[in-house]
């Protein structure tokens, strides 16, 4: 058998899959669309004959390992050689192999990070799925530990799930090593995160470095000692000193090696202290070093809990600091305000005040870098500087001691405000990189300012300025957090209400109905405090609408009594304000008329009443001049129209929402509304045919908000392909869908349930009952209510039963009149449901077959696929072969190859042979005709 031909682009995609990148990250790396990546993945699955994306990734990783003996771990590349520690490396490697979580503990500067990196590099071959390094230094909020891990691993946020849950899902079956560096300042966040992570990821190992134990029950502590001084001038400590001295061009005289050993002994073997001392050798020599240590060492204050070795690090830092020019001392302490790599320009803005000249700051940074007190980091945006964490913390202490902390951190806050403002108004392809470059400093400045009453207004501005870029960056959880934080910091209630509305919009994008409801209610309370009764009415009514419109996205659906009381309050507050009146009208359409067909909605009303309520809401929203409100009202109208059976009106109304929303700025509310509009347009187009459904489904799949949510992005396309008979496309898409669904923490929605049921149908047509049962179980877990099985579930089940010749069971599956299960059938499934009722009645020999055909024909008129189904049913009833063949041609013209082939089999004779061959070409089981 010949080897499959893999194109050059497919090979690139495959290689990146081996690095466990998401489709969005592969698309960004190769400058292609996410849809194109999905197409290549589907092709690779078929060519390489592997069952799913995970297997494809593992195979890619295996291929990469075959080409190079050891995988390339995602570890920073040290710029200096690693010296000594043979025993420690072996013991720590053994501990990592034997235990789930190991913490390398030791004082600052002892060499924990370098030891962890060396062990990670040496053991990388044992971790087939990767090694990742996470520097926690920039993390100032313990709650963002998971976000830092996600950024390092390459996990994007998933709608409806927090970033921590997305990490757990992504690493669930990975045999990998995660190195968490500098945990001490966020231990309260690391400990609970690791407890969840290791419980959910049984093959994962974690190596942490910290100055203190994490204090978790599963922790294996590995104390990192200072470098050994045993052996005198041949010790690890002396070897490190000589290596670093040679690096600066001043190798010690071999005759003075005993003096080197003495210096290392005085420094207690602390790696950072030795490196700093060696860097001074060109200017002081060994005699000067010895004298400096004798004169300059100061004992660390702090009581009996202070570590002796830690005192030595502080002593060297004190001594190194005192040898600096006073201006360089000021610069060192002032740049400690930065928690992430910074530019010379940024340093000048924050640190450039008396006695420092802003113009001279760049020279000072260079001098500090020469003294190993700053690290120079090249980047795409120019040279950046950073201080090692031990030195940064030392600088911060010096900043406090100099009485400059408030001034410097205020200037840092001002710089962050300017950076955030620039981000908010910026666009371009590098917008994501610009946000990432400053995000950690913005977070640190916000954390500092939020606790100071005199900077509360600036903290509010910064939180609000960060929220928008975080939303654009698809960090939806942080965007919602920042909007809520801004609301809490706002100086007046009106501003707080506005921020809460934005937060509710983000919650909508995250499919968190409970949060949307909570935030709109909170906005209403803030508006009332501000004296804005109309705004309060609008927010209360919107909260009520959310409870009904998005009822399937709630963990706890608000009781009807609660929402009814809220609606009454909103009516009383609305007055004559157009926006408030429109919002109340939409809430009435939701509650009184159940226009949205909510889970908690009542069926005790007529469909015509629902349409009237919704039409009134649309007219009032249009009069208020709010496209987002008008879109929500049109959503109610399209849903209400579906209850009347007017499927074409339903689809047409749904399409009206899209163009006005597309023209709006991408605020959270507008983005949420647009994605929902594309979702509904795709679904309702399915109700009247297939071509438009694929068009709108393609736009939905390409929306940036869904870049990391392949299940939500492609759900309706899977259903369209299933109706069209593209079995190969459904099966390939199902692999991608399932991977994204599991990666995202198995979210739930009607669309996800329908998509899984579509894949189950494809397996059923192939005769794979085991796979079908597995996918039906996915459908049950992915949907929000079992009643949906009366709609798409009945349709897909009936199609499988008909294929295998069980017309009686198929007829039973669609036996209820549409009015009896209206909420689950009328929305987008009506045409398919009534057409199948007609066909199953004919094939099962039901006496009411003719009546069902006539009723179905009136309903599906204008839908080419459903009309062909009804024509086929009538031709079978009448034994009209020419009409049966005409129906086959209609299916073929509509792109429904399965239904075309099925019709030929039903026609019998030579046509049956053609149809059977076509079914086999589609990969389907032979049809049974009884």
């Amino acid at each position: 058998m010949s080897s499959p031909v893999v194109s050059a682009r497919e090979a690139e995609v495959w290689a990146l899959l081996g690095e466990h990148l998401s489709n969005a990250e592969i698309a960004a790396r190769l400058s292609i669309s996410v849809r194109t990546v999905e197409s290549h993945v589907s092709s690779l699955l078929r060519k390489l004959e592997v069952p799913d994306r995970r297997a494809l990734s593992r195979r890619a990783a295996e291929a990469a390992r075959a080409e190079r003996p050891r995988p390339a771990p995602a570890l920073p590349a040290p710029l200096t050689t690693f010296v000594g520690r043979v025993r420690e490396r072996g013991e720590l490697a053994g501990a990592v192999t034997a235990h789930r979580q190991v913490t390398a503990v030791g004082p600052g500067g002892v060499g924990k990070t370098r030891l962890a990196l060396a062990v990670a590099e040496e053991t990388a071959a044992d971790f087939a799925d990767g090694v990742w390094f996470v520097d926690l230094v920039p993390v100032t909020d313990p709650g963002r530990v998971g976000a830092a891990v996600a950024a390092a691993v390459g996990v994007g946020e998933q709608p409806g799930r927090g970033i921590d849950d997305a990490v757990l899902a992504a690493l669930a079956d990975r045999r990998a090593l995660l190195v968490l560096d500098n945990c001490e300042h966020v231990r309260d966040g690391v400990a609970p995160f690791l407890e969840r992570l290791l419980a959910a990821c049984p093959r994962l190992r974690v190596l942490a470095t910290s100055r203190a134990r994490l204090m978790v029950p599963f922790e294996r502590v590995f104390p990192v000692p200072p470098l050994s001084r045993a052996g005198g001038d041949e010790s690890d400590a002396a070897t490190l000193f000589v290596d670093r001295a040679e690096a600066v061009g001043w190798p010690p005289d071999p005759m003075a090696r005993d003096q080197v050993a003495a210096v290392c002994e005085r420094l207690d073997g602390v790696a950072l202290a030795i490196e700093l001392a060696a860097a001074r050798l060109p200017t002081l020599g060994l005699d000067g070093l010895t004298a400096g240590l004798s004169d300059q060492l100061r004992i660390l204050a702090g009581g009996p809990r202070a570590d002796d070795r830690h005192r030595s690090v502080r002593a060297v830092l004190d001594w190194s600091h005192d040898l600096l020019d006073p201006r360089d001392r000021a610069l060192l302490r002032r740049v400690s305000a930065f928690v992430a790599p910074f530019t010379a320009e940024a340093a000048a803005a924050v640190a450039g005040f008396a006695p420092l000249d802003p113009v001279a700051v760049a020279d000072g940074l260079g001098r500090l870098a020469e003294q190993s007190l700053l690290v120079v980091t090249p980047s795409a945006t120019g040279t950046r500087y950073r201080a090692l964490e031990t030195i940064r913390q030392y600088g911060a202490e010096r900043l406090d001691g100099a009485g400059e902390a408030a001034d410097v951190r205020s200037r840092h806050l001002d710089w962050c405000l300017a950076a955030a403002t620039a981000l908010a108004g910026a666009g371009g392809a590098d917008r994501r990189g610009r946000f990432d470059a400053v995000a950690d400093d913005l977070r640190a400045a916000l954390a500092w300012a939020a606790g100071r009453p005199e900077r509360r207004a600036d903290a509010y501005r910064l939180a609000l300025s960060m929220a928008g870029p975080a939303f654009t960056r698809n960090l939806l959880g942080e965007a919602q957090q920042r909007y809520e934080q801004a609301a809490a910091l706002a100086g007046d209630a009106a501003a707080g209400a506005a921020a809460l509305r934005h937060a509710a919009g983000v919650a909508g994008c995250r499919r968190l109905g409970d949060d949307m409801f909570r935030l709109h209610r909170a906005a209403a309370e803030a508006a009332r405090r501000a004296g804005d009764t109309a705004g309060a009415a609008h927010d209360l009514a919107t909260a009520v609408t959310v409870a009904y419109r998005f009822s399937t996205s709630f963990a706890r659906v608000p009781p009807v009594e609660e929402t009814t009381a809220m609606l009454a309050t909103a009516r009383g507050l609305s007055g004559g304000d157009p926006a408030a009146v429109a919002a109340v009208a939409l809430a009435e359409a939701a509650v009184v008329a159940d226009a949205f067909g909510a889970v908690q909605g009542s069926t005790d009303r007529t469909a015509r009443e629902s349409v009237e309520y919704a039409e009134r809401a649309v007219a009032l929203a249009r009069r208020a001049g709010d496209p987002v409100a008008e879109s929500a009202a049109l959503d109610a109208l399209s849903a209400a129209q579906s209850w009347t059976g007017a499927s074409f009106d339903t689809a047409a109304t749904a399409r009206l929402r899209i163009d006005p929303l597309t023209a709006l700025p991408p605020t959270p509310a507008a983005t949420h509304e647009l994605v929902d509009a594309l979702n509904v347009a795709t679904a309702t187009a399915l109700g009247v045919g297939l071509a438009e459904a694929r068009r709108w489904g393609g736009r939905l799949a390409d929306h940036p908000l869904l870049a990391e949510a392949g299940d939500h992005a492609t759900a309706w396309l899977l259903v369209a392909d299933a109706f069209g008979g593209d079995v190969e496309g459904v099966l390939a898409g199902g692999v991608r869908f399932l991977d994204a669904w599991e990666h995202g923490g198995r979210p739930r929605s009607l669309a996800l349930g329908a998509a899984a049921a579509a894949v189950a149908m494809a397996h059923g047509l192939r005769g794979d009952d085991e796979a079908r049962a597995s996918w039906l179980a996915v459908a049950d877990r992915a949907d929000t209510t079992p009643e949906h099985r009366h709609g798409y579930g009945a349709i897909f089940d009936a199609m499988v039963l008909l294929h295998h010749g069980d017309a009686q069971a198929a007829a039973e599956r669609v036996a209820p009149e549409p009015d009896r299960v209206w909420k689950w059938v009328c929305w987008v499934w009506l045409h398919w449901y009534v057409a199948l009722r007609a066909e199953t009645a004919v094939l099962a020999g039901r006496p009411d077959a003719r009546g069902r055909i006539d009723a179905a024909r009136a309903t599906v008129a204008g839908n080419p696929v459903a009309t062909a189904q009804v024509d086929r049913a009538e031709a079978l009833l009448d034994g009209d072969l020419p009409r049966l063949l005409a129906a086959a041609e209609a299916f073929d013209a509509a792109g429904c190859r399965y239904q075309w082939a099925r019709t030929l089999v039903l026609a019998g004779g030579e046509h049956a042979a053609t149809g059977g061959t076509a079914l086999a070409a589609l990969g389907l089981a032979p049809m049974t005709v009884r």
Side-chain angles (χ1 to χ4, degrees), residues 502-516:
H502 284 307
V506 181
C509 293
R510 300 176 71 198
R511 298 181 181 87
L512 300 178
D514 304 78
D515 274 8
M516 286 186 76

Side-chain angles (χ1 to χ4, degrees), residues 885-926:
L885 297 177
E889 292 178 2
F891 282 124
D892 193 25
C896 296
R897 294 293 288 174
Y898 167 69
Q899 294 293 355
W900 165 76
R902 170 178 165 74
T903 308
L904 293 179
V905 172
L906 291 172
E910 61 183 17
H911 304 297
T914 302
T917 300
L919 290 175
L922 291 173
L924 302 182

Side-chain angles (χ1 to χ4, degrees), residues 95-120:
V96 169
T97 302
H99 302 283
R100 297 289 310 286
Q101 195 269 310
V102 179
T103 305
V105 174
V110 79
K112 301 183 294 296
T113 298
R114 291 300 303 271
L115 177 61
L117 286 172
V119 169

Side-chain angles (χ1 to χ4, degrees), residues 106-112 184 211 270-273 309-310 313-314 390:
V110 79
K112 301 183 294 296
E184 55 273 356
R211 296 184 186 181
V270 176
L272 176 61
R309 293 183 297 270
H310 199 174
V313 174
R314 184 178 295 278
T390 301

